[in-house]
Amino acid sequence: TGSSRPQRMLKAVQKNATKGDPQSVISAIDYYCRHKEWAMNVGDEKGLILDSVLTEVNPSMALELGTYCGYSSVRIARLLSPNSKLITVEFNPAFAAIARQIIAYAGLQDKVTIVEGPSADLIPKMKERFGLKSFDFVFLDHWKDRYVPDTKLLEECGLLKKGTVLLADNVICPGAPEYLKYVRNNPRYESRYYKSYLEYTKAEDGLEKSVFLG
Ligand SMILES: O=C(CSCCNC(=O)c1cc(-c2ccc(F)cc2)cc(O)c1O)c1ccc(O)c(O)c1
Ligand SMILES: [Mg+2]
């Protein structure tokens, strides 16, 4: 049987990027997905917004829901301060296997922990498993109908603190209407929409940034 899209993406990184150079890994994936084969990475345009929010927050502990091939894991981890960490959750073992290799190729394996499984099962185990108190930053990029239940779960598990920033991908396309309703009409969040484009296309999409007020 043939290769998968994630496998072809990994090949493009190994061919066109420089080992240990995260920016070259990001550029190689963006080039491949824009000119050869579309894939559901956050991409270069929304990626710049992700970069700016990350630089502003400068998180010690970051969480990503929905690793896919590790493109946004590399974008996030390359901007983390020394001793800061990213935990990224992926449901699909095949995606996780490719992501592990792409993150290692970028030289960021010491800053990123990939956990495989359903976010609903893993979130309640985070404190005990990783000895952490709370997250300073959460990037939501997994099943769009999991954004609300997993945000509520993070609240209930005491994994959000005053000032924690949630950044959600795809709030327009494919869309997360329930999530937008939840964070925008909730006194515990201060929300703002960053208009952009669906990765590698001219379709509208955007990121919703929501600050947890405690
Ligand atoms: O990561 C997963 C697998 S679902 C991938 C989610 N992402 C998308 O579906 C996604 C889709 C599109 C898109 C696709 C077709 C279009 F025509 C237009 C847009 C774009 C994106 O940027 C996306 O992020 C996971 C599942 C369960 C868990 O509990 C967990 O923790 C993780
Ligand atoms: Mg996405």
Side-chain angles (χ1 to χ4, degrees):
T1 60
S3 66
S4 70
R5 187 175 310 216
Q7 282 168 327
R8 292 191 291 273
M9 203 186 304
L10 171 60
K11 287 273 167 297
V13 165
Q14 291 166 333
K15 179 165 176 279
N16 303 310
T18 306
K19 218 167 168 31
D21 175 356
Q23 191 52 55
S24 74
V25 169
I26 291 164
S27 303
I29 293 172
D30 284 331
Y31 184 88
Y32 182 76
C33 295
R34 186 173 286 280
H35 300 292
K36 306 278 191 250
E37 188 176 26
W38 187 91
M40 59 181 171
N41 314 119
V42 71
D44 42 3
E45 293 159 306
K46 289 185 288 179
L48 285 174
I49 300 166
L50 171 60
D51 290 357
S52 68
V53 172
L54 264 167
T55 306
E56 175 197 325
V57 177
N58 187 27
S60 307
M61 277 308 299
L63 172 67
E64 174 179 61
L65 301 176
T67 316
Y68 187 42
C69 295
Y71 173 89
S72 45
S73 307
V74 169
R75 281 205 88 110
I76 293 166
R78 87 192 200 287
L79 294 177
L80 293 179
S81 315
N83 305 322
S84 296
K85 300 287 179 198
L86 169 67
I87 295 172
T88 181
V89 175
E90 180 46 58
F91 179 74
N92 178 323
F95 291 172
I98 297 293
R100 210 165 264 113
Q101 294 173 78
I102 287 180
I103 291 161
Y105 197 89
L108 295 166
Q109 65 284 350
D110 296 344
K111 301 187 82 71
V112 183
T113 305
I114 303 183
V115 246
E116 289 180 40
S119 43
D121 299 355
L122 293 167
I123 287 170
K125 298 174 181 152
M126 290 269 167
K127 286 206 178 195
E128 61 185 324
R129 257 208 191 173
F130 299 102
L132 55 92
K133 281 194 180 60
S134 58
F135 291 107
D136 315 289
F137 178 82
V138 182
F139 184 52
L140 297 95
D141 193 19
H142 60 331
W143 297 133
K144 310 314 161 194
D145 58 8
R146 290 293 320 167
Y147 284 18
V148 174
D150 285 348
T151 298
K152 289 180 174 174
L153 201 49
L154 286 165
E155 291 170 21
E156 287 151 17
C157 295
L159 284 165
L160 305 182
K161 67 180 179 189
K162 191 170 167 22
T164 295
V165 169
L166 306 186
L167 191 64
D169 190 25
N170 310 117
V171 294
I172 302 301
C173 178
E178 300 302 323
Y179 179 77
L180 289 180
K181 270 203 289 284
Y182 180 71
V183 290
R184 290 177 176 175
N185 307 331
N186 188 330
R188 298 183 79 186
Y189 290 95
E190 182 59 46
S191 257
R192 177 190 157 176
Y193 174 61
Y194 292 79
K195 184 176 182 342
S196 185
Y197 297 92
L198 176 69
E199 49 268 25
Y200 319 116
T201 77
K202 294 185 166 43
E204 182 183 343
D205 190 21
L207 301 170
E208 186 81 0
K209 176 191 167 192
S210 307
V211 183
F212 185 63
L213 302 174

